[in-house]
Amino acid sequence: MSFLDKIFGSSERENIAVEFWNKIESEADLDEVIRKSFQKKVAIFKHSTRCFISKTVMRKFEKEVERSDKDVEYYYLDLLAHRDISNKIADQLGVEHQSPQLIVLENGNVARSASHHSINLDLV
């Protein structure tokens, strides 16, 4: 990892180290996430892999989730790799694009959303 990668984060998420994340990599994945929200609360974390703030917020959120016992499914969207899916989220769910951003879905609708340093487990 280069010096700049250490400061700003690498251009791609090396490995999602935390096991609770489910990846969203296609529009079909997003459709499935929305369907699942009718049975269980889901949270989508939209992350820019080149942004230091996004990386910092994500790590803080991961630590909160790891200490939590909330019954939620957590999803991860790499914005740089899947900007089209981020655009679909904005259009379909009516949430203005932000990065980083946490969107909580219940029954197919946005229950809560936050961005940047407003992201925390209390939203879930």
Side-chain angles (χ1 to χ4, degrees), residues 23-39:
K23 292 182 185 179
I24 299 174
E25 299 179 312
S26 68
E27 289 189 15
D29 290 345
L30 177 60
D31 293 341
E32 181 62 23
V33 169
I34 293 169
R35 276 193 293 280
K36 284 185 178 183
S37 78
F38 285 92
Q39 287 105 30

Side-chain angles (χ1 to χ4, degrees), residues 8-81:
F8 297 108
S10 66
S11 62
E12 55 186 77
R13 183 100 161 125
E14 296 86 20
N15 290 316
I16 299 177
V18 182
E19 293 183 17
F20 59 77
W21 290 121
N22 299 289
K23 292 182 185 179
I24 299 174
E25 299 179 312
S26 68
E27 289 189 15
D29 290 345
L30 177 60
D31 293 341
E32 181 62 23
V33 169
I34 293 169
R35 276 193 293 280
K36 284 185 178 183
S37 78
F38 285 92
Q39 287 105 30
K40 184 178 198 175
K41 190 184 303 183
V42 300
I44 301 170
F45 192 100
K46 292 169 46 179
H47 173 55
S48 174
T49 56
R50 286 190 212 142
C51 175
F52 177 74
I53 292 170
S54 189
K55 184 178 260 188
T56 301
V57 170
M58 184 175 202
R59 285 183 179 157
K60 178 183 163 277
F61 185 71
E62 287 173 336
K63 288 178 185 175
E64 290 179 354
V65 172
E66 287 178 326
R67 293 188 300 258
S68 170
D69 62 354
K70 291 189 176 195
D71 187 25
V72 177
E73 286 200 30
Y74 296 93
Y75 292 87
Y76 165 88
L77 176 65
D78 177 340
L79 292 173
L80 299 179

